[in-house]
Amino acid sequence: MAVDDTVLEAVRTRIGTESTHELGTITALMIRRYARAIGESNPLYYDTEFARGCGHPDIIAPPNLVTAVSAWDEGPAEDGLRSDGVPTAALQDLPTEGVRVMGGGEDIEFHAPIPAGTTLTERSAMIGAELTHGSKGPVIVVRYRHEFVAADGRVLLTSTRKVLLR
């Protein structure tokens, strides 16, 4: 299937549909492991006393930790992935059979640090879709808004992601 106005209109029927996903508690171990994996040495991510001296209740997560984790569970088995590596369940409501799905970038707005012990919920919604033309033909650019919300209702981080359908 090639992307065209018919596919675009089918994708657009999902605009505004919201979902929530309980991510659980961001632990100090999770923060330290992620910081180590990305080569970060800032003591804010390792040293509780240092973080407290900077006004935080505990160590804090590197700014992109919560957006870097694309799935907070063990993920699907290989038979649950498309040939492009995208989980089939992630696209269940989109007409993507025969369409290549790729990441198209992300803008992140940081509202507040995320200390260890913070319980997060991710609220997501498709906010737009447009047909454009790339060097290899038509591409649908789908935009999603993701808000990472603390248990007290504060939005700590907002992410706008683009997904390309070609």
Side-chain angles (χ1 to χ4, degrees), residues 126-143:
M126 182 188 295
I127 59 172
E130 63 183 62
L131 181 64
T132 187
H133 294 278
S135 62
K136 299 193 182 219
V139 177
I140 296 175
V141 179
V142 183
R143 291 181 300 118

mmCIF file of all heavy atoms in Angstrom, residues 126-143:
data_model
loop_
_atom_site.group_PDB
_atom_site.id
_atom_site.type_symbol
_atom_site.label_atom_id
_atom_site.label_comp_id
_atom_site.label_asym_id
_atom_site.label_seq_id
_atom_site.Cartn_x
_atom_site.Cartn_y
_atom_site.Cartn_z
ATOM 1 N N MET A 126 -2.766 11.629 19.546
ATOM 2 C CA MET A 126 -2.361 12.063 18.216
ATOM 3 C C MET A 126 -2.892 13.480 18.051
ATOM 4 O O MET A 126 -4.061 13.753 18.338
ATOM 5 C CB MET A 126 -2.944 11.159 17.132
ATOM 6 C CG MET A 126 -2.505 11.568 15.725
ATOM 7 S SD MET A 126 -3.358 10.681 14.397
ATOM 8 C CE MET A 126 -2.787 9.023 14.652
ATOM 9 N N ILE A 127 -2.027 14.389 17.616
ATOM 10 C CA ILE A 127 -2.452 15.783 17.506
ATOM 11 C C ILE A 127 -2.438 16.306 16.071
ATOM 12 O O ILE A 127 -2.878 17.425 15.827
ATOM 13 C CB ILE A 127 -1.589 16.698 18.399
ATOM 14 C CG1 ILE A 127 -0.111 16.612 18.042
ATOM 15 C CG2 ILE A 127 -1.822 16.369 19.875
ATOM 16 C CD1 ILE A 127 0.763 17.627 18.764
ATOM 17 N N GLY A 128 -1.976 15.502 15.129
ATOM 18 C CA GLY A 128 -1.993 15.971 13.751
ATOM 19 C C GLY A 128 -1.428 14.951 12.791
ATOM 20 O O GLY A 128 -0.698 14.038 13.187
ATOM 21 N N ALA A 129 -1.778 15.103 11.529
ATOM 22 C CA ALA A 129 -1.249 14.258 10.461
ATOM 23 C C ALA A 129 -1.341 15.041 9.160
ATOM 24 O O ALA A 129 -2.351 15.687 8.890
ATOM 25 C CB ALA A 129 -2.042 12.954 10.360
ATOM 26 N N GLU A 130 -0.248 15.002 8.391
ATOM 27 C CA GLU A 130 -0.249 15.704 7.108
ATOM 28 C C GLU A 130 0.526 14.899 6.080
ATOM 29 O O GLU A 130 1.453 14.171 6.400
ATOM 30 C CB GLU A 130 0.355 17.096 7.248
ATOM 31 C CG GLU A 130 1.802 17.099 7.655
ATOM 32 C CD GLU A 130 2.363 18.500 7.853
ATOM 33 O OE1 GLU A 130 1.860 19.212 8.738
ATOM 34 O OE2 GLU A 130 3.297 18.852 7.117
ATOM 35 N N LEU A 131 0.109 15.019 4.845
ATOM 36 C CA LEU A 131 0.772 14.363 3.732
ATOM 37 C C LEU A 131 1.767 15.341 3.133
ATOM 38 O O LEU A 131 1.435 16.493 2.845
ATOM 39 C CB LEU A 131 -0.260 13.945 2.675
ATOM 40 C CG LEU A 131 0.273 13.217 1.448
ATOM 41 C CD1 LEU A 131 0.895 11.877 1.833
ATOM 42 C CD2 LEU A 131 -0.863 13.001 0.448
ATOM 43 N N THR A 132 3.000 14.885 2.985
ATOM 44 C CA THR A 132 4.045 15.713 2.384
ATOM 45 C C THR A 132 4.799 14.839 1.388
ATOM 46 O O THR A 132 4.519 13.644 1.257
ATOM 47 C CB THR A 132 4.977 16.309 3.471
ATOM 48 O OG1 THR A 132 5.875 17.216 2.872
ATOM 49 C CG2 THR A 132 5.729 15.236 4.212
ATOM 50 N N HIS A 133 5.729 15.418 0.701
ATOM 51 C CA HIS A 133 6.483 14.647 -0.291
ATOM 52 C C HIS A 133 7.956 14.713 0.029
ATOM 53 O O HIS A 133 8.535 15.790 0.156
ATOM 54 C CB HIS A 133 6.185 15.153 -1.700
ATOM 55 C CG HIS A 133 4.771 14.906 -2.096
ATOM 56 N ND1 HIS A 133 4.348 13.689 -2.577
ATOM 57 C CD2 HIS A 133 3.676 15.670 -2.006
ATOM 58 C CE1 HIS A 133 3.041 13.735 -2.795
ATOM 59 N NE2 HIS A 133 2.608 14.932 -2.452
ATOM 60 N N GLY A 134 8.561 13.527 0.204
ATOM 61 C CA GLY A 134 9.989 13.424 0.467
ATOM 62 C C GLY A 134 10.729 13.039 -0.806
ATOM 63 O O GLY A 134 10.136 12.910 -1.886
ATOM 64 N N SER A 135 12.009 12.810 -0.679
ATOM 65 C CA SER A 135 12.825 12.477 -1.841
ATOM 66 C C SER A 135 12.451 11.132 -2.455
ATOM 67 O O SER A 135 12.721 10.890 -3.629
ATOM 68 C CB SER A 135 14.305 12.466 -1.460
ATOM 69 O OG SER A 135 14.552 11.475 -0.479
ATOM 70 N N LYS A 136 11.792 10.259 -1.689
ATOM 71 C CA LYS A 136 11.398 8.939 -2.207
ATOM 72 C C LYS A 136 9.897 8.807 -2.378
ATOM 73 O O LYS A 136 9.380 7.708 -2.481
ATOM 74 C CB LYS A 136 11.931 7.853 -1.289
ATOM 75 C CG LYS A 136 13.442 7.880 -1.222
ATOM 76 C CD LYS A 136 13.993 6.655 -0.589
ATOM 77 C CE LYS A 136 15.491 6.819 -0.542
ATOM 78 N NZ LYS A 136 16.213 5.638 -0.809
ATOM 79 N N GLY A 137 9.195 9.934 -2.378
ATOM 80 C CA GLY A 137 7.759 9.888 -2.595
ATOM 81 C C GLY A 137 6.962 10.444 -1.432
ATOM 82 O O GLY A 137 7.513 11.091 -0.545
ATOM 83 N N PRO A 138 5.658 10.154 -1.426
ATOM 84 C CA PRO A 138 4.790 10.718 -0.393
ATOM 85 C C PRO A 138 5.077 10.136 0.989
ATOM 86 O O PRO A 138 5.423 8.968 1.128
ATOM 87 C CB PRO A 138 3.383 10.343 -0.865
ATOM 88 C CG PRO A 138 3.572 9.202 -1.797
ATOM 89 C CD PRO A 138 4.941 9.333 -2.393
ATOM 90 N N VAL A 139 4.939 10.996 2.008
ATOM 91 C CA VAL A 139 5.162 10.629 3.402
ATOM 92 C C VAL A 139 4.059 11.268 4.239
ATOM 93 O O VAL A 139 3.738 12.438 4.050
ATOM 94 C CB VAL A 139 6.533 11.152 3.903
ATOM 95 C CG1 VAL A 139 6.721 10.834 5.381
ATOM 96 C CG2 VAL A 139 7.668 10.599 3.077
ATOM 97 N N ILE A 140 3.486 10.487 5.132
ATOM 98 C CA ILE A 140 2.540 11.047 6.094
ATOM 99 C C ILE A 140 3.310 11.297 7.389
ATOM 100 O O ILE A 140 3.963 10.400 7.915
ATOM 101 C CB ILE A 140 1.345 10.120 6.345
ATOM 102 C CG1 ILE A 140 0.534 9.959 5.058
ATOM 103 C CG2 ILE A 140 0.467 10.669 7.471
ATOM 104 C CD1 ILE A 140 -0.601 8.959 5.161
ATOM 105 N N VAL A 141 3.255 12.537 7.877
ATOM 106 C CA VAL A 141 3.894 12.910 9.125
ATOM 107 C C VAL A 141 2.803 12.960 10.190
ATOM 108 O O VAL A 141 1.881 13.782 10.105
ATOM 109 C CB VAL A 141 4.609 14.276 9.014
ATOM 110 C CG1 VAL A 141 5.260 14.648 10.349
ATOM 111 C CG2 VAL A 141 5.642 14.257 7.884
ATOM 112 N N VAL A 142 2.902 12.063 11.158
ATOM 113 C CA VAL A 142 1.924 11.979 12.245
ATOM 114 C C VAL A 142 2.588 12.547 13.495
ATOM 115 O O VAL A 142 3.727 12.207 13.812
ATOM 116 C CB VAL A 142 1.485 10.525 12.500
ATOM 117 C CG1 VAL A 142 0.407 10.463 13.575
ATOM 118 C CG2 VAL A 142 0.999 9.872 11.211
ATOM 119 N N ARG A 143 1.883 13.438 14.199
ATOM 120 C CA ARG A 143 2.428 14.047 15.425
ATOM 121 C C ARG A 143 1.630 13.574 16.635
ATOM 122 O O ARG A 143 0.406 13.526 16.589
ATOM 123 C CB ARG A 143 2.398 15.565 15.331
ATOM 124 C CG ARG A 143 3.374 16.113 14.306
ATOM 125 C CD ARG A 143 3.379 17.634 14.221
ATOM 126 N NE ARG A 143 2.066 18.142 13.858
ATOM 127 C CZ ARG A 143 1.319 18.936 14.626
ATOM 128 N NH1 ARG A 143 1.742 19.356 15.787
ATOM 129 N NH2 ARG A 143 0.135 19.338 14.210
#
